[in-house]
mmCIF file of all heavy atoms in Angstrom:
data_model
loop_
_atom_site.group_PDB
_atom_site.id
_atom_site.type_symbol
_atom_site.label_atom_id
_atom_site.label_comp_id
_atom_site.label_asym_id
_atom_site.label_seq_id
_atom_site.Cartn_x
_atom_site.Cartn_y
_atom_site.Cartn_z
ATOM 1 N N VAL A 1 87.692 -24.582 -27.378
ATOM 2 C CA VAL A 1 88.698 -24.524 -28.423
ATOM 3 C C VAL A 1 88.623 -23.274 -29.298
ATOM 4 O O VAL A 1 89.600 -22.591 -29.562
ATOM 5 C CB VAL A 1 88.593 -25.774 -29.314
ATOM 6 C CG1 VAL A 1 89.551 -25.703 -30.512
ATOM 7 C CG2 VAL A 1 88.860 -27.039 -28.468
ATOM 8 N N LEU A 2 87.406 -22.970 -29.758
ATOM 9 C CA LEU A 2 87.280 -21.991 -30.886
ATOM 10 C C LEU A 2 87.743 -20.561 -30.525
ATOM 11 O O LEU A 2 88.467 -19.968 -31.305
ATOM 12 C CB LEU A 2 85.807 -21.974 -31.325
ATOM 13 C CG LEU A 2 85.286 -23.297 -31.850
ATOM 14 C CD1 LEU A 2 83.806 -23.224 -32.225
ATOM 15 C CD2 LEU A 2 86.098 -23.773 -33.051
ATOM 16 N N PRO A 3 87.391 -20.028 -29.355
ATOM 17 C CA PRO A 3 87.869 -18.678 -29.037
ATOM 18 C C PRO A 3 89.406 -18.628 -28.948
ATOM 19 O O PRO A 3 90.034 -17.613 -29.335
ATOM 20 C CB PRO A 3 87.241 -18.323 -27.731
ATOM 21 C CG PRO A 3 86.071 -19.241 -27.544
ATOM 22 C CD PRO A 3 86.500 -20.521 -28.271
ATOM 23 N N VAL A 4 90.039 -19.725 -28.473
ATOM 24 C CA VAL A 4 91.468 -19.729 -28.376
ATOM 25 C C VAL A 4 92.107 -19.741 -29.743
ATOM 26 O O VAL A 4 93.081 -19.033 -30.041
ATOM 27 C CB VAL A 4 91.941 -20.951 -27.524
ATOM 28 C CG1 VAL A 4 93.440 -21.019 -27.487
ATOM 29 C CG2 VAL A 4 91.359 -20.901 -26.146
ATOM 30 N N LEU A 5 91.594 -20.575 -30.656
ATOM 31 C CA LEU A 5 92.159 -20.626 -32.001
ATOM 32 C C LEU A 5 92.002 -19.243 -32.697
ATOM 33 O O LEU A 5 92.866 -18.828 -33.438
ATOM 34 C CB LEU A 5 91.409 -21.676 -32.834
ATOM 35 C CG LEU A 5 91.576 -23.129 -32.392
ATOM 36 C CD1 LEU A 5 90.895 -24.066 -33.429
ATOM 37 C CD2 LEU A 5 93.049 -23.501 -32.246
ATOM 38 N N ALA A 6 90.879 -18.563 -32.419
ATOM 39 C CA ALA A 6 90.665 -17.267 -33.084
ATOM 40 C C ALA A 6 91.625 -16.194 -32.553
ATOM 41 O O ALA A 6 91.975 -15.262 -33.316
ATOM 42 C CB ALA A 6 89.222 -16.830 -32.804
ATOM 43 N N ARG A 7 92.128 -16.334 -31.291
ATOM 44 C CA ARG A 7 92.959 -15.297 -30.745
ATOM 45 C C ARG A 7 94.479 -15.608 -30.813
ATOM 46 O O ARG A 7 95.270 -14.695 -30.840
ATOM 47 C CB ARG A 7 92.578 -15.102 -29.236
ATOM 48 C CG ARG A 7 91.233 -14.452 -29.050
ATOM 49 C CD ARG A 7 91.084 -13.973 -27.624
ATOM 50 N NE ARG A 7 91.184 -15.021 -26.633
ATOM 51 C CZ ARG A 7 90.126 -15.615 -26.095
ATOM 52 N NH1 ARG A 7 88.895 -15.247 -26.509
ATOM 53 N NH2 ARG A 7 90.230 -16.568 -25.212
ATOM 54 N N HIS A 8 94.784 -16.884 -30.830
ATOM 55 C CA HIS A 8 96.171 -17.288 -30.807
ATOM 56 C C HIS A 8 96.912 -16.949 -32.116
ATOM 57 O O HIS A 8 96.296 -17.093 -33.189
ATOM 58 C CB HIS A 8 96.313 -18.736 -30.481
ATOM 59 C CG HIS A 8 97.663 -19.204 -30.009
ATOM 60 N ND1 HIS A 8 98.675 -19.499 -30.870
ATOM 61 C CD2 HIS A 8 98.176 -19.356 -28.754
ATOM 62 C CE1 HIS A 8 99.754 -19.823 -30.197
ATOM 63 N NE2 HIS A 8 99.471 -19.749 -28.908
ATOM 64 N N ASP A 9 98.192 -16.614 -32.029
ATOM 65 C CA ASP A 9 98.948 -16.256 -33.233
ATOM 66 C C ASP A 9 98.927 -17.362 -34.286
ATOM 67 O O ASP A 9 98.863 -17.066 -35.461
ATOM 68 C CB ASP A 9 100.389 -15.921 -32.828
ATOM 69 C CG ASP A 9 100.516 -14.608 -32.072
ATOM 70 O OD1 ASP A 9 99.543 -13.814 -32.128
ATOM 71 O OD2 ASP A 9 101.552 -14.378 -31.461
ATOM 72 N N SER A 10 99.012 -18.622 -33.827
ATOM 73 C CA SER A 10 99.035 -19.740 -34.768
ATOM 74 C C SER A 10 97.697 -20.456 -34.859
ATOM 75 O O SER A 10 97.586 -21.492 -35.535
ATOM 76 C CB SER A 10 100.111 -20.751 -34.325
ATOM 77 O OG SER A 10 99.814 -21.348 -33.075
ATOM 78 N N GLY A 11 96.677 -19.939 -34.196
ATOM 79 C CA GLY A 11 95.392 -20.651 -34.111
ATOM 80 C C GLY A 11 94.693 -20.877 -35.440
ATOM 81 O O GLY A 11 94.078 -21.903 -35.636
ATOM 82 N N ARG A 12 94.812 -19.916 -36.343
ATOM 83 C CA ARG A 12 94.088 -20.065 -37.604
ATOM 84 C C ARG A 12 94.755 -21.004 -38.576
ATOM 85 O O ARG A 12 94.203 -21.349 -39.609
ATOM 86 C CB ARG A 12 93.952 -18.637 -38.269
ATOM 87 C CG ARG A 12 93.070 -17.740 -37.411
ATOM 88 C CD ARG A 12 92.760 -16.454 -38.089
ATOM 89 N NE ARG A 12 92.070 -15.544 -37.164
ATOM 90 C CZ ARG A 12 90.764 -15.614 -36.917
ATOM 91 N NH1 ARG A 12 90.015 -16.519 -37.496
ATOM 92 N NH2 ARG A 12 90.226 -14.778 -36.045
ATOM 93 N N THR A 13 95.961 -21.489 -38.212
ATOM 94 C CA THR A 13 96.597 -22.526 -39.080
ATOM 95 C C THR A 13 96.304 -23.926 -38.562
ATOM 96 O O THR A 13 96.647 -24.895 -39.211
ATOM 97 C CB THR A 13 98.123 -22.304 -39.098
ATOM 98 O OG1 THR A 13 98.681 -22.578 -37.804
ATOM 99 C CG2 THR A 13 98.434 -20.880 -39.533
ATOM 100 N N VAL A 14 95.667 -24.054 -37.378
ATOM 101 C CA VAL A 14 95.350 -25.354 -36.830
ATOM 102 C C VAL A 14 94.199 -25.984 -37.563
ATOM 103 O O VAL A 14 93.147 -25.361 -37.795
ATOM 104 C CB VAL A 14 94.989 -25.213 -35.316
ATOM 105 C CG1 VAL A 14 94.533 -26.547 -34.783
ATOM 106 C CG2 VAL A 14 96.179 -24.686 -34.508
ATOM 107 N N ARG A 15 94.433 -27.233 -37.972
ATOM 108 C CA ARG A 15 93.330 -28.044 -38.556
ATOM 109 C C ARG A 15 92.699 -28.811 -37.446
ATOM 110 O O ARG A 15 93.292 -29.770 -36.942
ATOM 111 C CB ARG A 15 93.890 -28.921 -39.663
ATOM 112 C CG ARG A 15 94.432 -28.103 -40.838
ATOM 113 C CD ARG A 15 94.754 -28.949 -42.039
ATOM 114 N NE ARG A 15 95.148 -28.115 -43.204
ATOM 115 C CZ ARG A 15 94.324 -27.555 -44.003
ATOM 116 N NH1 ARG A 15 93.038 -27.711 -43.857
ATOM 117 N NH2 ARG A 15 94.787 -26.782 -45.011
ATOM 118 N N ALA A 16 91.474 -28.404 -37.095
ATOM 119 C CA ALA A 16 90.827 -28.983 -35.915
ATOM 120 C C ALA A 16 89.606 -29.808 -36.334
ATOM 121 O O ALA A 16 88.839 -29.367 -37.191
ATOM 122 C CB ALA A 16 90.398 -27.869 -34.965
ATOM 123 N N VAL A 17 89.442 -30.939 -35.707
ATOM 124 C CA VAL A 17 88.226 -31.773 -35.850
ATOM 125 C C VAL A 17 87.557 -31.794 -34.495
ATOM 126 O O VAL A 17 88.141 -32.255 -33.487
ATOM 127 C CB VAL A 17 88.587 -33.168 -36.307
ATOM 128 C CG1 VAL A 17 87.321 -34.060 -36.249
ATOM 129 C CG2 VAL A 17 89.114 -33.150 -37.728
ATOM 130 N N LEU A 18 86.299 -31.302 -34.424
ATOM 131 C CA LEU A 18 85.530 -31.267 -33.177
ATOM 132 C C LEU A 18 84.419 -32.319 -33.348
ATOM 133 O O LEU A 18 83.581 -32.200 -34.250
ATOM 134 C CB LEU A 18 84.940 -29.908 -32.946
ATOM 135 C CG LEU A 18 85.831 -28.856 -32.244
ATOM 136 C CD1 LEU A 18 87.102 -28.605 -33.046
ATOM 137 C CD2 LEU A 18 85.066 -27.547 -32.014
ATOM 138 N N ALA A 19 84.433 -33.339 -32.523
ATOM 139 C CA ALA A 19 83.396 -34.415 -32.588
ATOM 140 C C ALA A 19 82.393 -34.193 -31.465
ATOM 141 O O ALA A 19 82.759 -34.153 -30.285
ATOM 142 C CB ALA A 19 84.085 -35.776 -32.452
ATOM 143 N N GLU A 20 81.139 -34.094 -31.850
ATOM 144 C CA GLU A 20 80.054 -33.865 -30.874
ATOM 145 C C GLU A 20 78.789 -34.561 -31.381
ATOM 146 O O GLU A 20 78.376 -34.346 -32.530
ATOM 147 C CB GLU A 20 79.813 -32.401 -30.690
ATOM 148 C CG GLU A 20 78.558 -32.010 -29.865
ATOM 149 C CD GLU A 20 78.586 -32.706 -28.496
ATOM 150 O OE1 GLU A 20 79.615 -32.633 -27.813
ATOM 151 O OE2 GLU A 20 77.540 -33.290 -28.150
ATOM 152 N N LEU A 21 78.226 -35.398 -30.520
ATOM 153 C CA LEU A 21 77.026 -36.154 -30.934
ATOM 154 C C LEU A 21 75.744 -35.322 -30.899
ATOM 155 O O LEU A 21 74.828 -35.576 -31.730
ATOM 156 C CB LEU A 21 76.889 -37.375 -30.003
ATOM 157 C CG LEU A 21 75.769 -38.389 -30.319
ATOM 158 C CD1 LEU A 21 75.974 -38.935 -31.776
ATOM 159 C CD2 LEU A 21 75.797 -39.523 -29.310
ATOM 160 N N ASP A 22 75.630 -34.414 -29.955
ATOM 161 C CA ASP A 22 74.396 -33.648 -29.893
ATOM 162 C C ASP A 22 74.282 -32.668 -31.061
ATOM 163 O O ASP A 22 75.160 -31.822 -31.248
ATOM 164 C CB ASP A 22 74.369 -32.863 -28.572
ATOM 165 C CG ASP A 22 73.060 -32.162 -28.331
ATOM 166 O OD1 ASP A 22 72.743 -31.188 -29.055
ATOM 167 O OD2 ASP A 22 72.327 -32.612 -27.419
ATOM 168 N N PRO A 23 73.232 -32.784 -31.882
ATOM 169 C CA PRO A 23 73.184 -31.987 -33.110
ATOM 170 C C PRO A 23 73.038 -30.469 -32.823
ATOM 171 O O PRO A 23 73.534 -29.663 -33.617
ATOM 172 C CB PRO A 23 71.950 -32.546 -33.838
ATOM 173 C CG PRO A 23 71.140 -33.223 -32.809
ATOM 174 C CD PRO A 23 72.113 -33.746 -31.784
ATOM 175 N N ALA A 24 72.367 -30.138 -31.762
ATOM 176 C CA ALA A 24 72.203 -28.699 -31.447
ATOM 177 C C ALA A 24 73.537 -28.056 -31.055
ATOM 178 O O ALA A 24 73.892 -26.955 -31.519
ATOM 179 C CB ALA A 24 71.181 -28.503 -30.332
ATOM 180 N N LEU A 25 74.306 -28.744 -30.213
ATOM 181 C CA LEU A 25 75.623 -28.236 -29.857
ATOM 182 C C LEU A 25 76.573 -28.220 -31.021
ATOM 183 O O LEU A 25 77.353 -27.292 -31.216
ATOM 184 C CB LEU A 25 76.174 -29.094 -28.714
ATOM 185 C CG LEU A 25 75.442 -29.002 -27.373
ATOM 186 C CD1 LEU A 25 76.006 -29.985 -26.372
ATOM 187 C CD2 LEU A 25 75.485 -27.551 -26.820
ATOM 188 N N ALA A 26 76.534 -29.277 -31.822
ATOM 189 C CA ALA A 26 77.428 -29.297 -33.023
ATOM 190 C C ALA A 26 77.079 -28.145 -33.964
ATOM 191 O O ALA A 26 77.981 -27.508 -34.509
ATOM 192 C CB ALA A 26 77.261 -30.650 -33.760
ATOM 193 N N GLU A 27 75.783 -27.870 -34.159
ATOM 194 C CA GLU A 27 75.440 -26.750 -35.019
ATOM 195 C C GLU A 27 75.909 -25.409 -34.433
ATOM 196 O O GLU A 27 76.432 -24.551 -35.148
ATOM 197 C CB GLU A 27 73.915 -26.682 -35.195
ATOM 198 C CG GLU A 27 73.495 -25.558 -36.138
ATOM 199 C CD GLU A 27 72.004 -25.211 -36.065
ATOM 200 O OE1 GLU A 27 71.373 -25.474 -35.016
ATOM 201 O OE2 GLU A 27 71.507 -24.642 -37.012
ATOM 202 N N ARG A 28 75.810 -25.245 -33.159
ATOM 203 C CA ARG A 28 76.310 -24.054 -32.483
ATOM 204 C C ARG A 28 77.799 -23.882 -32.689
ATOM 205 O O ARG A 28 78.319 -22.797 -32.997
ATOM 206 C CB ARG A 28 75.993 -24.082 -30.978
ATOM 207 C CG ARG A 28 76.105 -22.751 -30.302
ATOM 208 C CD ARG A 28 75.771 -22.899 -28.795
ATOM 209 N NE ARG A 28 74.431 -23.358 -28.579
ATOM 210 C CZ ARG A 28 73.938 -23.617 -27.344
ATOM 211 N NH1 ARG A 28 74.740 -23.463 -26.314
ATOM 212 N NH2 ARG A 28 72.727 -24.027 -27.239
ATOM 213 N N ALA A 29 78.562 -25.015 -32.569
ATOM 214 C CA ALA A 29 79.985 -24.930 -32.738
ATOM 215 C C ALA A 29 80.332 -24.577 -34.217
ATOM 216 O O ALA A 29 81.212 -23.774 -34.503
ATOM 217 C CB ALA A 29 80.655 -26.269 -32.376
ATOM 218 N N ARG A 30 79.593 -25.177 -35.133
ATOM 219 C CA ARG A 30 79.833 -24.963 -36.556
ATOM 220 C C ARG A 30 79.584 -23.492 -36.899
ATOM 221 O O ARG A 30 80.318 -22.818 -37.619
ATOM 222 C CB ARG A 30 78.901 -25.889 -37.359
ATOM 223 C CG ARG A 30 79.355 -26.179 -38.760
ATOM 224 C CD ARG A 30 78.495 -27.276 -39.368
ATOM 225 N NE ARG A 30 78.759 -28.563 -38.799
ATOM 226 C CZ ARG A 30 77.885 -29.305 -38.087
ATOM 227 N NH1 ARG A 30 76.677 -28.845 -37.911
ATOM 228 N NH2 ARG A 30 78.253 -30.466 -37.602
ATOM 229 N N THR A 31 78.500 -22.927 -36.335
ATOM 230 C CA THR A 31 78.143 -21.549 -36.582
ATOM 231 C C THR A 31 79.214 -20.605 -36.008
ATOM 232 O O THR A 31 79.627 -19.621 -36.651
ATOM 233 C CB THR A 31 76.783 -21.223 -35.961
ATOM 234 O OG1 THR A 31 75.760 -22.041 -36.579
ATOM 235 C CG2 THR A 31 76.419 -19.752 -36.177
ATOM 236 N N THR A 32 79.655 -20.921 -34.771
ATOM 237 C CA THR A 32 80.682 -20.079 -34.128
ATOM 238 C C THR A 32 81.981 -20.125 -34.926
ATOM 239 O O THR A 32 82.660 -19.089 -35.098
ATOM 240 C CB THR A 32 80.928 -20.531 -32.718
ATOM 241 O OG1 THR A 32 79.683 -20.445 -31.978
ATOM 242 C CG2 THR A 32 81.956 -19.687 -32.025
ATOM 243 N N ALA A 33 82.383 -21.300 -35.407
ATOM 244 C CA ALA A 33 83.630 -21.379 -36.195
ATOM 245 C C ALA A 33 83.522 -20.478 -37.450
ATOM 246 O O ALA A 33 84.501 -19.811 -37.792
ATOM 247 C CB ALA A 33 83.853 -22.818 -36.614
ATOM 248 N N GLY A 34 82.349 -20.448 -38.044
ATOM 249 C CA GLY A 34 82.156 -19.552 -39.193
ATOM 250 C C GLY A 34 82.240 -18.083 -38.791
ATOM 251 O O GLY A 34 82.870 -17.232 -39.481
ATOM 252 N N GLU A 35 81.584 -17.730 -37.670
ATOM 253 C CA GLU A 35 81.573 -16.352 -37.223
ATOM 254 C C GLU A 35 83.002 -15.916 -36.832
ATOM 255 O O GLU A 35 83.319 -14.708 -36.972
ATOM 256 C CB GLU A 35 80.649 -16.198 -36.032
ATOM 257 C CG GLU A 35 79.176 -16.378 -36.409
ATOM 258 C CD GLU A 35 78.247 -16.399 -35.199
ATOM 259 O OE1 GLU A 35 78.784 -16.553 -34.087
ATOM 260 O OE2 GLU A 35 77.052 -16.288 -35.392
ATOM 261 N N LEU A 36 83.817 -16.834 -36.370
ATOM 262 C CA LEU A 36 85.216 -16.487 -35.974
ATOM 263 C C LEU A 36 86.189 -16.600 -37.115
ATOM 264 O O LEU A 36 87.389 -16.475 -36.940
ATOM 265 C CB LEU A 36 85.638 -17.373 -34.811
ATOM 266 C CG LEU A 36 84.916 -17.138 -33.480
ATOM 267 C CD1 LEU A 36 85.389 -18.166 -32.454
ATOM 268 C CD2 LEU A 36 85.147 -15.712 -32.985
ATOM 269 N N ASN A 37 85.670 -16.954 -38.311
ATOM 270 C CA ASN A 37 86.521 -17.086 -39.510
ATOM 271 C C ASN A 37 87.618 -18.128 -39.282
ATOM 272 O O ASN A 37 88.790 -17.833 -39.451
ATOM 273 C CB ASN A 37 87.098 -15.732 -39.923
ATOM 274 C CG ASN A 37 87.767 -15.787 -41.299
ATOM 275 O OD1 ASN A 37 87.418 -16.622 -42.138
ATOM 276 N ND2 ASN A 37 88.726 -14.926 -41.508
ATOM 277 N N LEU A 38 87.174 -19.318 -38.923
ATOM 278 C CA LEU A 38 88.107 -20.435 -38.690
ATOM 279 C C LEU A 38 87.814 -21.514 -39.761
ATOM 280 O O LEU A 38 87.161 -22.493 -39.511
ATOM 281 C CB LEU A 38 87.945 -20.986 -37.282
ATOM 282 C CG LEU A 38 88.294 -20.079 -36.120
ATOM 283 C CD1 LEU A 38 87.823 -20.641 -34.802
ATOM 284 C CD2 LEU A 38 89.801 -19.801 -36.102
ATOM 285 N N PRO A 39 88.338 -21.321 -40.955
ATOM 286 C CA PRO A 39 87.969 -22.234 -42.076
ATOM 287 C C PRO A 39 88.546 -23.647 -41.917
ATOM 288 O O PRO A 39 88.074 -24.549 -42.624
ATOM 289 C CB PRO A 39 88.619 -21.521 -43.307
ATOM 290 C CG PRO A 39 89.721 -20.710 -42.748
ATOM 291 C CD PRO A 39 89.251 -20.256 -41.395
ATOM 292 N N HIS A 40 89.531 -23.820 -41.058
ATOM 293 C CA HIS A 40 90.148 -25.138 -40.936
ATOM 294 C C HIS A 40 89.536 -25.950 -39.774
ATOM 295 O O HIS A 40 90.097 -27.001 -39.404
ATOM 296 C CB HIS A 40 91.651 -25.004 -40.728
ATOM 297 C CG HIS A 40 92.334 -24.295 -41.844
ATOM 298 N ND1 HIS A 40 92.183 -24.680 -43.131
ATOM 299 C CD2 HIS A 40 93.208 -23.219 -41.811
ATOM 300 C CE1 HIS A 40 92.941 -23.839 -43.930
ATOM 301 N NE2 HIS A 40 93.541 -22.967 -43.113
ATOM 302 N N VAL A 41 88.416 -25.485 -39.275
ATOM 303 C CA VAL A 41 87.710 -26.227 -38.236
ATOM 304 C C VAL A 41 86.582 -27.067 -38.847
ATOM 305 O O VAL A 41 85.740 -26.565 -39.572
ATOM 306 C CB VAL A 41 87.102 -25.279 -37.144
ATOM 307 C CG1 VAL A 41 86.174 -26.050 -36.203
ATOM 308 C CG2 VAL A 41 88.217 -24.593 -36.392
ATOM 309 N N ASP A 42 86.605 -28.376 -38.561
ATOM 310 C CA ASP A 42 85.642 -29.278 -39.084
ATOM 311 C C ASP A 42 84.833 -29.880 -37.898
ATOM 312 O O ASP A 42 85.369 -30.645 -37.109
ATOM 313 C CB ASP A 42 86.374 -30.432 -39.810
ATOM 314 C CG ASP A 42 85.452 -31.500 -40.409
ATOM 315 O OD1 ASP A 42 84.195 -31.293 -40.338
ATOM 316 O OD2 ASP A 42 85.963 -32.521 -40.915
ATOM 317 N N VAL A 43 83.602 -29.414 -37.734
ATOM 318 C CA VAL A 43 82.727 -29.898 -36.676
ATOM 319 C C VAL A 43 81.951 -31.074 -37.229
ATOM 320 O O VAL A 43 81.217 -30.970 -38.196
ATOM 321 C CB VAL A 43 81.805 -28.813 -36.158
ATOM 322 C CG1 VAL A 43 80.914 -29.334 -35.058
ATOM 323 C CG2 VAL A 43 82.552 -27.562 -35.701
ATOM 324 N N ARG A 44 82.076 -32.205 -36.538
ATOM 325 C CA ARG A 44 81.418 -33.441 -37.009
ATOM 326 C C ARG A 44 80.393 -33.879 -36.008
ATOM 327 O O ARG A 44 80.703 -34.056 -34.817
ATOM 328 C CB ARG A 44 82.460 -34.549 -37.211
ATOM 329 C CG ARG A 44 83.505 -34.150 -38.237
ATOM 330 C CD ARG A 44 84.562 -35.244 -38.460
ATOM 331 N NE ARG A 44 85.546 -34.787 -39.449
ATOM 332 C CZ ARG A 44 86.579 -35.556 -39.855
ATOM 333 N NH1 ARG A 44 86.702 -36.788 -39.369
ATOM 334 N NH2 ARG A 44 87.426 -35.073 -40.706
ATOM 335 N N THR A 45 79.130 -34.051 -36.475
ATOM 336 C CA THR A 45 78.079 -34.507 -35.592
ATOM 337 C C THR A 45 78.184 -36.052 -35.585
ATOM 338 O O THR A 45 77.741 -36.724 -36.492
ATOM 339 C CB THR A 45 76.718 -34.097 -36.127
ATOM 340 O OG1 THR A 45 76.688 -32.651 -36.287
ATOM 341 C CG2 THR A 45 75.613 -34.490 -35.109
ATOM 342 N N GLY A 46 78.852 -36.557 -34.562
ATOM 343 C CA GLY A 46 79.049 -38.001 -34.473
ATOM 344 C C GLY A 46 79.529 -38.393 -33.116
ATOM 345 O O GLY A 46 79.813 -37.550 -32.236
#
């Protein structure tokens, strides 16, 4: 999801919830969302 949202014309307006139970993977997704400046991405460890 994240690279597509970062590149797509409307991607940065998408409010995305990413649900992932594994804490290491969820942390990686959360970090990447920050690096890609995607403030509307909510990564939930659950």
Side-chain angles (χ1 to χ4, degrees):
V1 174
L2 299 178
V4 178
L5 295 185
R7 291 194 297 264
H8 196 276
D9 289 344
S10 64
R12 295 187 187 279
T13 68
V14 174
R15 295 191 175 275
V17 171
L18 278 57
E20 172 55 48
L21 185 57
D22 188 289
L25 293 174
E27 183 196 23
R28 195 181 300 176
R30 204 172 287 118
T31 299
T32 301
E35 291 172 346
L36 293 175
N37 190 26
L38 295 169
H40 301 308
V41 171
D42 179 7
V43 180
R44 301 181 182 180
T45 307

